[in-house]
Amino acid sequence: MRAMTGRGDNDTSVKSKVERVKTRLNQMTLDGKFTGGVAPFGYKLIKSGEVNKKGKELMDIVIDDDEAPIVKKIFEMTVKEGYGSYRMADYLNSHGIRTHNNSNFQCNTVNRILKNRLYCGYLVSGGVESPYIERLHIIDENVYEQAQFILSQRSNKNEEKKQIARTTKGSTLLSGNIYCAHCG
């Protein structure tokens, strides 16, 4: 009996520890502090000068001046020129542009960039969004929202009437733009 009781108490302490960690991470996000992980393309990590309780130096996220123009180009070509993620990845790779770890861009990497609100100047972690942080701003919010609309129109799960072509890589002039009025 005692073993079960002790084990149950341990589960409770683990749950409370998990909750404390989540709460602290949410607080850090709300304070505009980077909570860890890999910096998204367009940003880099620098030492912040702060140390955590375990003596490890905390990192801060800042704009990478070499990559930020590429992020702007990705959003611009998606919104203004209708590039899809496959076509955009192909464009970046053909121009010799590589990711942080020096690998080729994939369509999911482009989609991750297009969906990341950090480029508008907001840290997002665990469903919590920081207040606007000007030093992290790369993309105008209107351009970001236009990109989100395009992505939602191209998604397979959005089966209502489309206003944007689902594919952009067809060889014919109107491929992806004309649909049957009867069956869609």
Side-chain angles (χ1 to χ4, degrees), residues 6-168:
R7 192 168 157 216
D9 292 340
N10 191 23
D11 286 346
T12 305
S13 68
V14 168
K15 286 180 184 176
S16 64
K17 192 174 202 174
V18 167
E19 288 302 316
R20 285 195 314 270
V21 169
K22 283 183 182 178
T23 301
R24 181 63 187 135
L25 289 173
N26 290 345
Q27 288 172 344
M28 288 177 67
T29 300
L30 289 171
D31 291 341
K33 295 186 183 219
F34 184 65
T35 57
V38 177
F41 188 81
Y43 296 94
K44 62 184 175 182
L45 298 176
I46 60 169
K47 294 181 179 184
S48 69
E50 295 181 51
V51 179
N52 68 9
K53 290 180 183 178
K54 295 184 178 183
K56 183 179 178 197
E57 188 161 18
L58 300 176
M59 303 298 278
D60 198 9
I61 190 165
V62 295
I63 293 175
D64 185 323
D65 293 330
D66 295 330
E67 294 176 352
I70 298 166
V71 171
K72 288 180 182 179
K73 186 82 168 163
I74 291 170
F75 275 90
E76 179 183 308
M77 291 177 76
T78 299
V79 171
K80 294 183 180 173
E81 299 177 35
Y83 272 57
S85 58
Y86 289 100
R87 192 171 165 203
M88 191 72 240
D90 189 47
Y91 172 86
L92 294 168
N93 294 331
S94 68
H95 283 78
I97 300 168
R98 300 287 177 255
T99 63
H100 284 316
N101 59 2
N102 203 28
S103 61
N104 284 339
F105 273 87
Q106 304 293 321
C107 64
N108 63 341
T109 310
V110 173
N111 279 330
R112 216 174 296 124
I113 289 170
L114 291 171
K115 292 177 182 176
N116 194 339
R117 201 149 152 71
L118 177 60
Y119 298 109
C120 295
Y122 300 93
L123 285 170
V124 179
S125 177
V128 175
E129 185 175 289
S130 74
Y132 174 72
I133 305 168
E134 187 173 351
R135 66 180 175 79
L136 298 177
H137 178 93
I138 296 176
I139 300 298
D140 183 59
E141 194 126 8
N142 291 331
V143 174
Y144 175 81
E145 291 302 328
Q146 289 173 346
Q148 300 319 294
F149 177 74
I150 289 169
L151 290 173
S152 73
Q153 288 291 304
R154 288 185 179 155
S155 73
N156 288 331
K157 64 184 175 193
N158 188 0
E159 293 301 327
E160 57 203 44
K161 285 204 173 215
K162 303 272 185 218
Q163 297 176 357
I164 303 281
R166 183 174 286 173
T167 61
T168 62

